[in-house]
Amino acid sequence: MIFKSKANKALDKMEDPRETLDYSYQRQLELLQKVRRGVADVATSRKRVELQINQIEQQATRLEDQGRKALSVGREDLAREALSRRSSLQTQIADLRVQHDNLQAEEEKLTTASQRLQAKVDSFRHKKETIKATYTAAEAQTRINEAFSGISEEMGDVGLAIQRAEDKTAQMQARAGAIDELLASGALDDFSGSRNDDIQAELDRMGGGRDVELELARMKAELGQGSAPQPSIEQGQPQAQPQPQSQTQQLRQPGEPA
């Protein structure tokens, strides 16, 4: 019973109603074909009996003519023998006629059954196509609904793959953020030297900015807009030499207004 129940469940899962309907329709067509062959066989037998009846009737007619001729020439014995044979043929004809009537009734019965079966097969065919179309539409609608809801096997696999990808991405982002925090706090050493390079780049930017300010102040002093700034001791530059007086200042006497 357990085996049969499991087998029945497996078969029910594998069964396609459309295939079952097509198989049933094929079986009905085979049955209809057998009935039609039966009608043809009965009709052939009936026709054969009719031919036998015709042949025996011809023999009986010929024997009757022969008996008359024998009786006309005075051969009563031959006439009696001819009539005796004709009587025997009449009995055969009667039996064949009964058989012919039975075959004809059977043929009519099979013909009626064939017509009814044909109508039933045609009705089943129309109903089968309607059920198949309805089942196909329902199956398509079910797959669409399952795809929208995400409960189908295909969409379920896609959903799981997306979920795994999102989980791995979140894990990698969390790991990268944790390592950045550890590097910034000094808990981990950066062996690539990028941290020292950042500090050096910041120092270079600060030094470069001060050089620009010193150069700008020196240009202002040359133009008479200010005094030249003293270079920083850290940069190791020599002290600025006194600027030579211009030619106008050399010609000006003491006490003269500038």
Side-chain angles (χ1 to χ4, degrees), residues 16-60:
D16 189 344
R18 293 166 295 186
E19 296 178 354
T20 304
L21 290 173
D22 289 336
Y23 178 75
S24 299
Y25 178 69
Q26 186 65 31
R27 294 288 296 174
Q28 291 185 12
L29 289 178
E30 293 176 358
L31 179 60
L32 179 61
Q33 189 65 23
K34 290 180 178 180
V35 173
R36 288 176 175 175
R37 283 198 298 265
V39 173
D41 293 339
V42 172
T44 302
S45 299
R46 176 184 57 79
K47 193 63 178 179
R48 188 180 299 114
V49 171
E50 288 179 356
L51 293 176
Q52 291 179 358
I53 291 173
N54 292 331
Q55 292 177 359
I56 294 174
E57 285 180 347
Q58 292 176 3
Q59 293 178 6

Side-chain angles (χ1 to χ4, degrees), residues 77-134:
D77 54 340
L78 291 177
R80 185 179 289 107
E81 181 64 25
L83 293 175
S84 177
R85 292 183 179 182
R86 179 178 177 276
S87 178
S88 177
L89 292 177
Q90 290 293 337
T91 303
Q92 294 181 12
I93 291 173
D95 295 337
L96 290 174
R97 287 189 183 279
V98 172
Q99 186 177 359
H100 176 271
D101 293 339
N102 292 333
L103 290 174
Q104 188 172 7
E106 186 68 21
E107 181 182 357
E108 292 176 355
K109 186 186 300 183
L110 289 176
T111 302
T112 303
S114 176
Q115 293 174 353
R116 290 179 179 176
L117 184 58
Q118 179 67 54
K120 183 179 179 180
V121 170
D122 293 338
S123 177
F124 180 79
R125 180 173 62 84
H126 295 302
K127 188 174 182 180
K128 172 182 72 72
E129 295 300 329
T130 302
I131 294 175
K132 286 175 61 178
T134 305

Side-chain angles (χ1 to χ4, degrees), residues 176-192 194-195:
I179 293 176
D180 289 339
E181 292 179 358
L182 292 175
L183 288 174
S185 63
L188 292 179
D189 294 333
D190 188 0
F191 296 100
S192 63
S194 59
R195 186 166 180 268

Side-chain angles (χ1 to χ4, degrees), residues 42 45 51 55 69-70 73 82-83 93 119 139 141 147 155 157 177 185 205 207 212-214 244 249:
V42 172
S45 299
L51 293 176
Q55 292 177 359
K69 290 180 181 180
V73 296
L83 293 175
I93 291 173
E139 184 181 28
Q141 186 64 36
M155 295 303 296
D157 295 339
S185 63
R205 284 196 300 272
V212 172
E213 294 296 332
L214 291 174
Q249 292 176 346

